[in-house]
Amino acid sequence: MKHLISMADLTHDEIIELLDMAEDLKEKRMRGKVTDLLKNKSLGMIFEKSSTRTRVSFEVAMCDLGGHALYLNAKDMQLGRGETISDTSEVLSRYLYGIIARVYSHDTVKQLAENSSIPVINALSDHEHPCQILADLLTIREYKNNFKDLKYAWVGDGNNVCNSAILGCALVDMEILVACPPGYEPDADIVEQARALGGKVTITNDPKEAVANADILYADVWVSMGDEDEREKRLTDLAPYQINSELVELAKPDVIVMHCLPAHRGEEISAEVMDGPHSVVFDQAENRMHAQKALLLKLMA
Ligand code: CP
Ligand code: NVA
């Protein structure tokens, strides 16, 4: 594996290996044990969009591993003045040991990878968010021990995070049900790809059907970065898809409620559920750092 552009760039065994590494790195950090496995190595972090978790978790991960991270706002780069993605990628490959990129168009991160001689990691595009799902699998394994016989219910917009979740579930052999309004379905090619991997994927318009007896409920924002022009329509269309106490009641009693964050209480998730006993959202956020450390080591060490 050279790049991580799509969740499907990972195999089942690579995911398990990364989760095992992440668990070990997490435990070491808690004991205050430092490692310098990426000493003197620099990671470039290109951002076209805002970020709290991704930026900070990658930067701290690099620091903890003895390396260095450079935050590169795409607007401040020559990219913003018309330098090509391929030239940018060739040049950065001469300085750095790895690149992460958060972009509007999935094609941008693909082009970066195609023209790079160093690993490129998708730090969120309009199509996928593999780093999020890798960390989420770590969180699920912490709470449920393994993935066998679990039912994962996604409720809301079939967006970038949903696409990666569908592929991630297929790769670890976990059933996924997606409940979304008509017109908000996840990408058909992703669903097809997941099914070809042996994934059990159900798409429905009925949140109650998806959530019944679920082990995991997952929410994400209704208005993703780049969708701001559709805000009003999205809030109306997605209103019946809020994860609230009524839906949680239909799931298993030990259901965990997940959200990649940032959250909008009162929209995709009620405050009561977000801040309630089933919520594991801050563990997920923490696990971004541990999972990404494993990924950086695998790709850059
Ligand atoms: N979940 C996530 O990627 O958060 P940020 O947008 O804050 O990076
Ligand atoms: N779907 C959201 C995820 C944010 C981490 C977005 O793309 O804005």
Side-chain angles (χ1 to χ4, degrees):
M1 180 196 32
K2 190 165 165 254
H3 306 293
L4 180 65
I5 305 303
S6 163
M7 198 63 204
D9 292 335
L10 296 170
T11 63
H12 170 271
D13 290 355
E14 282 169 337
I15 291 176
I16 301 302
E17 182 194 353
L18 288 169
L19 299 186
D20 290 345
M21 283 169 73
E23 204 177 274
D24 182 54
L25 288 157
K26 182 171 181 174
E27 191 262 334
K28 283 202 171 82
R29 190 182 205 254
M30 284 197 301
R31 284 194 287 123
K33 264 192 98 179
V34 291
T35 51
D36 60 357
L37 294 162
L38 293 182
K39 191 160 184 248
N40 294 333
K41 295 196 171 166
S42 293
L43 174 76
M45 309 196 301
I46 302 174
F47 280 86
E48 289 182 354
K49 299 172 173 174
S50 308
S51 170
T52 297
R53 281 144 290 270
T54 305
R55 177 181 175 179
V56 177
S57 59
F58 266 110
E59 190 157 340
V60 174
M62 281 304 290
C63 174
D64 277 8
L65 294 168
H68 177 68
L70 295 91
Y71 172 74
L72 303 166
N73 184 328
K75 279 202 276 270
D76 299 334
M77 298 172 74
Q78 297 290 7
L79 262 178
R81 298 180 61 252
E83 185 167 22
T84 65
I85 296 165
S86 58
D87 288 354
T88 304
S89 202
E90 290 255 8
V91 171
L92 293 181
S93 295
R94 305 284 176 114
Y95 303 131
L96 301 167
Y97 284 81
I99 296 171
I100 71 160
R102 168 165 287 195
V103 296
Y104 282 99
S105 162
H106 191 65
D107 213 43
T108 303
V109 71
K110 274 183 21 191
Q111 276 189 54
L112 277 171
E114 275 157 22
N115 294 283
S116 150
S117 53
I118 56 172
V120 174
I121 296 171
N122 178 0
L124 183 148
S125 69
D126 58 351
H127 194 52
E128 276 205 54
H129 195 4
C131 296
Q132 180 67 51
I133 297 305
L134 191 62
D136 293 342
L137 292 176
L138 179 62
T139 310
I140 292 170
R141 204 174 70 163
E142 284 174 349
Y143 278 91
K144 304 284 178 194
N145 296 318
N146 59 41
F147 305 111
K148 208 176 139 26
D149 302 326
L150 295 183
K151 199 172 151 189
Y152 179 124
W154 177 283
V155 182
D157 184 19
N159 62 16
N160 46 2
V161 180
C162 181
N163 284 339
S164 290
I166 291 171
L167 292 172
C169 284
L171 286 161
V172 300
D173 204 12
M174 182 162 54
E175 181 183 6
I176 181 166
L177 297 96
V178 177
C180 54
Y184 292 81
E185 291 85 1
D187 289 22
D189 57 328
I190 293 269
V191 175
E192 200 180 311
Q193 200 180 356
R195 286 183 179 145
L197 287 164
K200 202 168 168 208
V201 189
T202 305
I203 313 289
T204 171
N205 299 137
D206 180 2
K208 290 187 174 148
E209 181 195 336
V211 159
N213 277 318
D215 300 276
I216 298 139
L217 301 190
Y218 206 109
D220 185 14
V221 291
W222 289 342
V223 185
S224 284
M225 292 179 277
D227 291 337
E228 289 81 1
D229 289 352
E230 302 170 7
R231 183 173 168 79
E232 291 315 314
K233 178 171 166 43
R234 284 178 161 269
L235 295 195
T236 308
D237 293 347
L238 285 149
Y241 294 81
Q242 182 190 70
I243 294 193
N244 49 34
S245 301
E246 197 191 325
L247 275 195
V248 171
E249 281 288 302
L250 302 174
K252 292 233 179 86
D254 63 349
V255 65
I256 55 170
V257 176
M258 305 183 82
H259 192 311
C260 58
L261 306 181
H264 295 83
R265 289 172 178 78
E267 291 182 16
E268 73 277 0
I269 191 163
S270 67
E272 195 183 11
V273 171
M274 170 80 186
D275 304 311
H278 296 282
S279 171
V280 301
V281 301
F282 298 114
D283 293 320
Q284 282 176 264
E286 178 186 333
N287 282 339
R288 291 292 304 276
M289 179 176 63
H290 307 302
Q292 286 157 197
K293 270 189 190 170
L295 185 63
L296 292 167
L297 285 176
K298 175 123 174 108
L299 296 180
M300 282 167 61

